[in-house]
Amino acid sequence: MNVKSLHYKQFTYRNEKRVSAMSVLKLKAVSGENPNDNVKRETVDLGNGSDVVYVQRLIPFDQSWQWFHYLDKHIPWTRPTIRVFGKSFLQPRDTCYVATPGLTELTYSGYQPHAHSWDDYPPLKDILEAVHKALPGSSFNSLLLNRYNGGNDYVGWHSDDEKLYGPTPEIASLTFGCERDFVLKKKPCKKSSDGSGEPSNKRLKKGSHDADQHTFRLKHGSLLVMRGYTQRDWIHSVPKRVKADATRINLTFRRVF
């Protein structure tokens, strides 16, 4: 091999190493551009056929903001008067209801919302598709939207145990905007409605000292799913938070039977 040929091979080898190193650096940069792209799932077993799945980042950051601004501007928000424990007061959050035609009408706290069509707001169908992809086998046909305009807006303790959702509803809650706490608490002791005659709290598994309550910090673009007998045995709330000074939009997907 002559000297010229040897120098050419060495030059080519050095360039290949340099290109390879640059490629590795580029890959590292791309993968580190948005650490929020990593989907993290957490499953909490509540016992007795109930569990909660939390996906910290289902919708990408920028897409979440695009949908937030669309919903904030285009959804026909209303703040209805509801009745709780025989008293009437203004619901402490804005709301809107979307459902497939022909379903059983929704009524809660003495209020029956008008059911808008999915076709009225096309991006909702894109959001529904993303949720269905994340939850294979799910088939949601109704959506309750809530808008919390700051930390004084909230939802009190309740369970979504209406008959139109069936005995073991799957309820998927998608959050856009301001982070808020979502709190689950075990229902007080009472006789089971499933015919076993055993108090619901005794049917729950023994766990850690805080097994009776769980708090999830719902982030922008996150998804929380309640499954099984969660509505029978647990109640949940989004409490007031003084430091929550921005708007949160929540989409709750359910299947009406």
Side-chain angles (χ1 to χ4, degrees), residues 212-230:
D212 288 354
Q213 184 164 308
H214 301 272
T215 299
F216 298 85
R217 186 73 168 174
L218 301 185
K219 297 179 178 293
H220 180 54
S222 68
L223 179 73
L224 183 137
V225 187
M226 294 180 284
R227 304 186 300 191
Y229 291 104
T230 306

Side-chain angles (χ1 to χ4, degrees), residues 48-117:
N48 300 286
S50 302
D51 67 5
V52 171
V53 177
Y54 178 52
V55 182
Q56 189 175 98
R57 175 76 67 187
L58 177 68
I59 309 299
F61 187 81
D62 292 338
Q63 181 63 71
S64 292
W65 279 120
Q66 289 178 25
W67 279 338
F68 171 89
H69 292 304
Y70 172 84
L71 297 170
D72 191 38
K73 182 178 179 181
H74 295 286
I75 293 299
W77 300 103
T78 184
R79 187 164 290 221
T81 297
I82 59 176
R83 288 185 63 82
V84 179
F85 299 120
K87 296 182 179 181
S88 297
F89 63 96
L90 202 62
Q91 180 175 278
R93 61 195 178 280
D94 300 330
T95 190
C96 181
Y97 184 55
V98 176
T100 301
L103 299 180
T104 303
E105 294 181 337
L106 171 66
T107 300
Y108 67 91
S109 301
Y111 171 63
Q112 185 177 94
H114 168 72
H116 295 272
S117 168

Side-chain angles (χ1 to χ4, degrees), residues 11-229:
F11 172 80
T12 302
Y13 177 69
R14 286 196 297 269
N15 273 319
E16 286 177 348
K17 288 186 69 177
R18 188 178 297 113
V19 169
S20 177
M22 289 175 64
S23 298
V24 171
L25 289 174
K26 184 177 180 181
L27 285 172
K28 287 182 178 179
V30 169
S31 64
E33 281 177 357
N34 188 357
N36 291 325
D37 285 342
N38 296 323
V39 175
K40 297 179 180 179
R41 291 175 180 258
E42 176 187 358
T43 301
V44 177
D45 183 3
L46 301 175
N48 300 286
S50 302
D51 67 5
V52 171
V53 177
Y54 178 52
V55 182
Q56 189 175 98
R57 175 76 67 187
L58 177 68
I59 309 299
F61 187 81
D62 292 338
Q63 181 63 71
S64 292
W65 279 120
Q66 289 178 25
W67 279 338
F68 171 89
H69 292 304
Y70 172 84
L71 297 170
D72 191 38
K73 182 178 179 181
H74 295 286
I75 293 299
W77 300 103
T78 184
R79 187 164 290 221
T81 297
I82 59 176
R83 288 185 63 82
V84 179
F85 299 120
K87 296 182 179 181
S88 297
F89 63 96
L90 202 62
Q91 180 175 278
R93 61 195 178 280
D94 300 330
T95 190
C96 181
Y97 184 55
V98 176
T100 301
L103 299 180
T104 303
E105 294 181 337
L106 171 66
T107 300
Y108 67 91
S109 301
Y111 171 63
Q112 185 177 94
H114 168 72
H116 295 272
S117 168
W118 296 95
D119 294 329
D120 294 338
Y121 310 99
L124 291 180
K125 295 191 286 187
D126 296 330
I127 300 174
L128 175 64
E129 182 180 0
V131 173
H132 278 158
K133 285 183 178 179
L135 302 171
S138 299
S139 183
F140 301 113
N141 56 16
S142 72
L143 167 63
L144 186 64
L145 300 95
N146 287 292
R147 182 173 65 180
Y148 300 76
N149 294 312
N152 284 325
D153 281 6
Y154 69 99
V155 58
W157 291 110
H158 71 286
S159 58
D160 300 321
D161 55 0
E162 291 86 355
K163 291 183 179 179
L164 73 164
Y165 300 133
T168 56
E170 180 180 42
I171 300 176
S173 178
L174 187 63
T175 291
F176 295 130
C178 182
E179 296 181 6
R180 292 291 292 266
D181 289 336
F182 178 89
V183 187
L184 268 170
K185 183 169 67 173
K186 192 185 298 184
K187 284 185 178 180
C189 176
K190 66 178 182 179
K191 292 294 181 179
S192 169
S193 59
D194 63 1
S196 68
E198 188 177 9
S200 59
N201 68 334
K202 288 185 178 297
R203 295 193 314 273
L204 296 170
K205 293 180 178 178
K206 300 292 184 181
S208 61
H209 67 282
D210 59 347
D212 288 354
Q213 184 164 308
H214 301 272
T215 299
F216 298 85
R217 186 73 168 174
L218 301 185
K219 297 179 178 293
H220 180 54
S222 68
L223 179 73
L224 183 137
V225 187
M226 294 180 284
R227 304 186 300 191
Y229 291 104

Side-chain angles (χ1 to χ4, degrees), residues 3-13:
V3 174
K4 183 177 180 180
S5 176
L6 177 61
H7 285 171
Y8 175 78
K9 286 181 177 290
Q10 290 175 339
F11 172 80
T12 302
Y13 177 69

